[in-house]
Amino acid sequence: MPSPVDNLTDALLGPILAADPAGPRVTYYDDATGERIELSASTLANWAAKTANMVRDEFALEPGGKVAVLLPAHWQSVAVLLGVWWAGGEVVLSPDADAELAFVTADRLDDVADVPEVAALSLDAFGKGLSDLPLGVADYATSIRVHGDQFRSAGAGSALEGRSVADTIDAARASAKNVELASTDRVLSSRTWDTADELIDRLLAVLAAGASLVQVAHPDAEATARRVGTEKVTKQF
């Protein structure tokens, strides 16, 4: 029986960092643009730490604060989610009147007009920020650069839409077991993470198993078929 944990990011990243910090953990493709980026566990942890420091220091979010994450299935979304959880925030995946902070793409700013603090992501492959943002909206790509890449985790009562940290990690581990995910697996997926169950089954289960994810946006059928071999894919979602 795994020991109790009070921080979801520690529970997900800790074993991976201990076992294989340098191996590929999240590989992201966008077949519409030709983008490919690969992150090791160490690099992912650095991005998550920067985000956590941003959440705590720039937005003054206290552990337990609710954070709306309205982002697509993207490698930067992984960094945001892990960073929010590291800072002790509770993630919600839809507009929420009680949210204290929101991370969104520019096309969803209207959805979080009533949220006190907002950071917008361009999701640009080269880190280009957004211009002409409304007053008071932070540009994630610009703001994240000044924050440190180390973070001491903070606990939280809830992790994902009212689920506790323990319930969320238990659900992720159960999902991984259900599809027989192992740490040696390389999972190819182009599916969304728009709900809590989707996020658990399609991202958190992969991390909980210590496996790695190849996430594809705008998938091209021929490219996907080739990628099974080039990326040494063992499972597809």
Side-chain angles (χ1 to χ4, degrees):
M1 179 73 66
S3 59
V5 293
D6 63 2
N7 188 274
L8 186 56
T9 297
D10 282 339
L12 294 169
L13 282 187
I16 297 170
L17 287 167
D20 183 16
R25 193 56 48 195
V26 174
T27 306
Y28 177 80
Y29 283 90
D30 187 331
D31 285 346
T33 64
E35 175 185 352
R36 180 188 187 276
I37 187 164
E38 188 165 271
L39 290 84
S40 67
S42 291
T43 303
L44 188 57
N46 288 158
W47 273 91
K50 282 179 170 290
T51 304
N53 281 309
M54 181 184 184
V55 166
R56 182 189 62 189
D57 298 340
E58 191 164 333
F59 298 118
L61 188 85
E62 297 289 338
K66 191 173 288 188
V67 181
V69 178
L70 311 184
L71 298 171
H74 190 278
W75 72 266
Q76 290 186 31
S77 306
V78 183
V80 167
L81 289 163
L82 293 174
V84 170
W85 285 321
W86 231 344
E90 176 190 352
V91 168
V92 293
L93 300 174
S94 59
D96 191 303
D98 295 325
E100 300 174 40
L101 169 63
F103 288 90
V104 299
T105 47
D107 61 328
R108 300 204 65 179
L109 285 171
D110 287 347
D111 291 338
V112 294
D114 296 328
V115 177
E117 302 283 0
V118 178
L121 282 77
S122 68
L123 304 180
D124 184 79
F126 300 101
K128 182 180 178 181
L130 292 163
S131 58
D132 301 321
L133 286 172
L135 185 66
V137 175
D139 175 46
Y140 178 84
T142 302
S143 298
I144 201 71
R145 296 171 190 161
V146 304
H147 292 285
D149 59 7
Q150 301 292 321
F151 190 80
R152 184 181 296 276
S153 66
S158 296
L160 179 60
E161 299 200 334
R163 303 182 195 220
S164 69
V165 172
D167 286 346
T168 305
I169 192 62
D170 284 350
R173 288 169 176 158
S175 179
K177 183 177 181 180
N178 186 54
V179 294
E180 300 181 336
L181 271 179
S183 61
T184 53
D185 278 319
R186 187 101 161 116
V187 179
L188 176 65
S189 179
S190 59
R191 302 175 77 181
T192 62
W193 311 333
D194 293 338
T195 69
D197 287 341
E198 289 176 353
L199 182 62
I200 288 169
D201 291 341
R202 300 170 188 177
L203 173 64
L204 303 191
V206 177
L207 296 177
S212 61
L213 177 67
V214 181
Q215 183 70 30
V216 183
H218 310 110
D220 173 83
E222 290 185 6
T224 297
R226 292 194 302 271
R227 200 165 287 137
V228 171
T230 59
E231 292 290 353
K232 300 179 180 178
V233 169
T234 59
K235 291 186 184 293
Q236 297 186 57
F237 285 173

